[in-house]
């Protein structure tokens, strides 16, 4: 079962899981209906804050693995902090509680670089370090990591997770995060040749390309637990670059592309996050290796988006 399956990650993780485990073996769920005509396979409406419904769906489908993606991201969470708390904390608790009750075999929980704070070393943020997040989203992600630990040690629920950097992808648009500029920049480059960026040119954040992000989730869920010392909240890294460096790399493919930098409140959020993260624990414990660097990712993104705009799949 995938929760929040219609979001940026679920849109690509769900089909990948279906390819790997069989169409009929993967249930997509979300609080909203899929767009009409989208070929989705098994789907149920599920609000993760509704424990009764979470239990009902897990029981009805005899769920054994859960990829719990439903969440309110950083920028949206600053607009609606109470909602972020409810979805990210109560939703996770419901998933863990029902997993304990129905003996779900494994749960995947994606945390984020947002769980770090300004007191964390900004370069190569370590796996185990000081963490004092300043956004509601970051607070819920850090509390979520701890809640996952609690269910693992107290009840033996096999919950595993990563701390994702900003995820760049070409299928679904991102859903209200601070790193959204890194995806939006591609769309505006391809369709308009100009982008107004909401963080400064110098802002550096860690990022990962979606194929690597999905592989990380699947590899971690499949690894033999005896290899894991951390089991949860693994730093996974792909690349780090400034907004200006991304602009320049895109311009190598679209020479007329220009960007204007007009930082808004999301600049303040970005400044509380590390510029790069150390993922050596993931590398050592389960063999994690990212395959995409900046130039490889930019080339692939532009090729995919150009095709989509040309075919009229995006407007
Ligand atoms: P998204 O915002 O694109 O998608 C979240 C989905 O959750 C949406 O489809 C939304 O409809 C659904 N949702 C919202 N409230 C819900 C509720 N009450 N019940 C059920 N579904 C609900 O997010 P995403 O980018 O796909 O992120 C997936 C997960 O990965 C999240 O937990 C996020 O914190 C984490 N993550 C994402 C990134 C990133 O850059 N995308 C980075 C780090 C961590
Ligand atoms: C956000 O910007 O909120 C997300 C994240 C890094 O968790 N993309």
């Amino acid at each position: 079962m995938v929760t929040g399956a219609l979001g940026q990650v679920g849109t690509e993780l769900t089909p990948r899981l279906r390819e790997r485990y069989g169409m009929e073996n993967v249930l997509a769920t979300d609080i909203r209906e899929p767009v009409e005509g989208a070929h989705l396979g098994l789907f149920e409406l599920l609000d993760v804050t509704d424990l009764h419904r979470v239990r009902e769906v897990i029981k009805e489908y005899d769920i054994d693995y859960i990829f719990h993606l439903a969440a309110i991201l950083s920028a949206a969470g600053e607009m609606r902090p109470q909602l972020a708390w409810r979805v990210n904390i109560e939703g996770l608790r419901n998933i863990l509680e029902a997993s304990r009750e129905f003996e779900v075999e494994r749960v995947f929980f994606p945390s984020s670089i947002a769980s770090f704070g300004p007191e964390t070393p900004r370069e190569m943020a370590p796996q185990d370090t000081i963490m004092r997040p300043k956004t509601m989203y970051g607070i819920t992600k850090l509390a979520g990591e701890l809640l996952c630990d609690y269910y693992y040690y107290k009840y033996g629920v096999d919950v595993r997770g990563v701390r994702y950097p900003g995820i760049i992808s070409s299928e679904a648009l991102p859903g209200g995060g601070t790193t959204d500029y890194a995806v939006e920049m591609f769309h505006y480059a391809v369709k308009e040749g100009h982008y107004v960026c909401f963080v400064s040119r110098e802002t550096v954040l860690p990022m990962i390309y979606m194929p690597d992000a999905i592989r990380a989730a699947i590899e971690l869920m499949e690894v033999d637990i005896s290899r894991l010392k951390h089991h949860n909240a693994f730093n996974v890294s792909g690349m780090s670059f400034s907004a200006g460096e991304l602009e320049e790399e895109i311009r190598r493919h679209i020479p007329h592309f220009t960007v204007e930098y007009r930082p808004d409140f999301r600049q303040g959020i970005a400044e509380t996050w590390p510029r790069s993260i150390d993922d050596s624990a993931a590398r050592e414990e389960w063999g994690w290796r990212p395959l995409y660097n900046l130039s490889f990712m930019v080339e692939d993104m532009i090729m995919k988006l150009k095709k989509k705009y040309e075919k009229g799949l995006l407007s």
Side-chain angles (χ1 to χ4, degrees):
M1 176 170 95
V2 182
T3 70
L6 302 182
Q8 188 193 0
V9 176
T11 298
E12 298 197 42
L13 177 64
T14 310
R16 184 74 197 90
L17 293 174
R18 287 182 170 148
E19 258 169 48
R20 198 166 174 83
Y21 304 116
M23 214 37 207
E24 66 293 354
N25 291 322
V26 179
L27 172 68
T29 70
D30 205 292
I31 196 170
R32 55 193 165 109
E33 294 272 6
V35 180
E36 215 177 311
H39 179 61
L40 268 158
L42 288 178
F43 180 85
E44 287 282 344
L45 274 180
L46 174 63
D47 175 351
V48 295
T49 65
D50 180 349
L51 177 59
H52 175 74
R53 179 79 181 128
V54 169
R55 295 174 73 246
E56 193 175 76
V57 173
I58 290 179
K59 194 169 168 207
E60 184 184 336
Y61 286 86
D62 195 15
I63 296 297
D64 49 13
Y65 278 37
I66 299 177
F67 291 79
H68 176 49
L69 307 179
I72 304 297
L73 274 67
S74 59
E78 288 311 285
M79 306 288 190
R80 302 186 67 190
Q82 307 306 326
L83 177 70
W85 180 269
R86 210 147 41 82
V87 176
N88 300 2
I89 294 289
E90 290 171 26
L92 173 63
R93 188 207 47 204
N94 290 346
I95 291 292
L96 292 172
E97 198 42 32
S99 297
R100 177 182 74 80
E101 187 182 349
F102 295 105
E103 299 182 345
V104 169
E105 273 177 47
R106 281 179 205 175
V107 180
F108 176 77
F109 169 70
S111 183
S112 160
I113 51 163
S115 62
F116 295 115
E119 294 88 353
T120 305
R122 292 203 77 196
E123 301 294 344
M124 293 298 273
Q127 176 67 42
D128 302 305
T129 184
I130 185 162
M131 302 179 79
R132 299 193 63 81
K134 300 294 182 258
T135 58
M136 180 55 92
Y137 174 65
I139 291 166
T140 63
K141 284 293 172 186
L142 179 55
E145 291 180 9
L146 299 175
L147 199 58
C148 290
D149 282 351
Y150 185 81
Y151 272 78
Y152 177 74
Y153 289 113
K154 186 155 177 104
Y155 302 118
V157 177
D158 182 355
V159 46
R160 307 171 180 200
V162 296
R163 288 184 192 128
Y164 279 134
I167 302 175
I168 297 176
S169 68
S170 55
E171 284 302 312
L173 285 169
T178 301
T179 58
D180 293 12
Y181 65 90
V183 181
E184 289 175 4
M185 199 181 280
F186 285 98
H187 285 267
Y188 281 86
V190 170
K191 66 178 177 181
E192 289 178 15
H194 183 70
Y195 178 58
V196 179
C197 183
F198 58 76
V199 298
S200 70
R201 183 192 297 272
E202 295 74 31
T203 303
V204 176
L205 286 174
M207 302 280 177
I208 190 169
Y209 195 33
M210 186 64 90
D212 278 339
I214 284 173
R215 199 168 43 77
I218 294 175
E219 284 179 7
L220 177 60
M221 283 293 265
E222 288 185 352
V223 78
D224 190 316
I225 194 145
S226 63
R227 287 179 59 188
L228 302 181
K229 292 191 202 93
H230 284 87
H231 77 87
N232 178 27
F234 281 99
N235 285 0
V236 290
S237 185
M239 57 195 101
S240 279
F241 50 78
S242 67
E245 284 165 335
L246 179 60
E247 174 195 347
E248 276 163 36
E249 192 61 38
I250 293 176
R251 207 163 22 241
R252 291 184 51 214
H253 302 265
I254 304 175
H256 63 276
F257 179 50
T258 53
V259 178
E260 183 187 337
Y261 292 90
R262 255 193 251 153
D264 66 15
F265 74 99
R266 289 167 282 190
Q267 178 70 37
I269 298 178
E271 283 169 9
T272 68
W273 293 353
R275 293 155 56 98
S276 59
I277 57 175
D278 174 4
D279 60 4
S280 49
R283 288 171 187 260
E284 281 157 25
E285 292 177 40
W286 47 280
W288 162 247
R289 293 274 178 290
L291 296 179
Y292 286 85
N293 61 19
L294 175 61
S295 60
F296 195 14
M297 177 273 289
V298 168
E299 192 182 328
D300 199 56
M301 274 292 285
I302 290 178
M303 190 254 301
K304 286 187 170 143
L305 288 183
K306 274 187 172 166
K307 270 193 198 151
K308 279 176 179 283
Y309 280 102
E310 275 162 20
K311 285 186 182 163
L313 298 171
L314 290 171
S315 54

